[in-house]
Amino acid sequence: MSTLDLFFIGVGLSMDACAICLSNMLAYPRIGRSGKVFMPLLFGLFQGIMPWLGAYAGDILSNFINAYAGYVTFFVFCFIGGKMIIDQFYAKQNNIPSAPRYTLFQAITQAIATSLDAFVVGVGLHACNVSLQLACPLIASITFACCGLSILLGSRFASSLGKKAPILGGILLILIGLKSLF
């Protein structure tokens, strides 16, 4: 497997994380500078670690992860997206200024959920005798870069959408969750 092949695998694996970063910027427009740096780092870290774990866990866990990853991802993203939408409507009904907070727990949960497919890819990389010392850092770096671009785009969209951005972000998370079922 060539470096170009690994590059495209990295881009493919990073797309869910990018969509989540974009959604987060819409849903949580007040994420500070440290959060905007921390989010791509966390997503990149998990996308880089999971293929390594998949390569070493191999057949033992891959069937389980393959069978249930879509359901886990569905429930995580639908819960977070639904909570964002409900919180926004609750704040409007009770005249509470809506300033949803993005928490570390949400970040870690999202990073794990989006990297489950990278675990299964790790099984395949191991079967193809691909160097994990090359593949894992490359996947992590690509995810970091793509998520960083998504955050920049999300920030621009969030400022133009105003108070509707959190609702759109929640809807996007639910749609990503639904996509994971198919």
Side-chain angles (χ1 to χ4, degrees):
M1 189 171 293
S2 72
T3 305
L4 186 61
D5 293 334
L6 291 175
F7 173 80
F8 285 119
I9 288 172
V11 169
L13 287 174
S14 73
M15 289 299 107
D16 282 350
C18 290
I20 298 302
C21 287
L22 181 76
S23 297
N24 285 339
M25 294 313 299
L26 294 173
Y28 307 102
R30 295 184 182 154
I31 292 177
R33 186 176 305 202
S34 61
K36 290 177 182 177
V37 171
F38 181 71
M39 200 182 319
L41 283 172
L42 192 61
F43 280 96
L45 177 70
F46 275 93
Q47 289 285 16
I49 289 173
M50 286 301 218
W52 182 80
L53 291 175
Y56 289 105
D59 296 327
I60 299 168
L61 294 175
S62 67
N63 291 334
F64 177 78
I65 294 290
N66 230 359
Y68 297 105
Y71 299 111
V72 171
T73 303
F74 169 75
F75 286 116
V76 166
F77 291 145
C78 285
F79 175 77
I80 293 171
K83 184 179 180 320
M84 290 182 336
I85 293 169
I86 290 168
D87 287 349
Q88 190 69 17
F89 284 116
Y90 175 77
K92 282 182 184 176
Q93 288 178 346
N94 296 314
N95 296 326
I96 299 170
S98 60
R101 293 188 59 225
Y102 186 66
T103 65
L104 179 62
F105 177 75
Q106 285 173 302
I108 291 171
T109 304
Q110 289 174 342
I112 291 170
T114 58
S115 64
L116 291 174
D117 54 348
F119 181 91
V120 177
V121 166
V123 175
L125 293 175
H126 181 68
C128 294
N129 293 319
V130 173
S131 168
L132 295 176
Q133 290 78 14
L134 171 65
C136 292
L138 184 62
I139 290 169
S141 300
I142 291 167
T143 301
F144 174 79
C146 290
C147 287
L149 289 172
S150 294
I151 287 172
L152 291 174
L153 287 172
S155 294
R156 293 234 165 97
F157 287 131
S159 63
S160 65
L161 289 172
K163 293 183 179 184
K164 294 178 183 173
I167 295 171
L168 181 59
I171 291 170
L172 286 174
L173 285 176
I174 291 170
L175 290 174
I176 293 167
L178 289 171
K179 180 196 107 8
S180 70
L181 292 175
F182 304 103

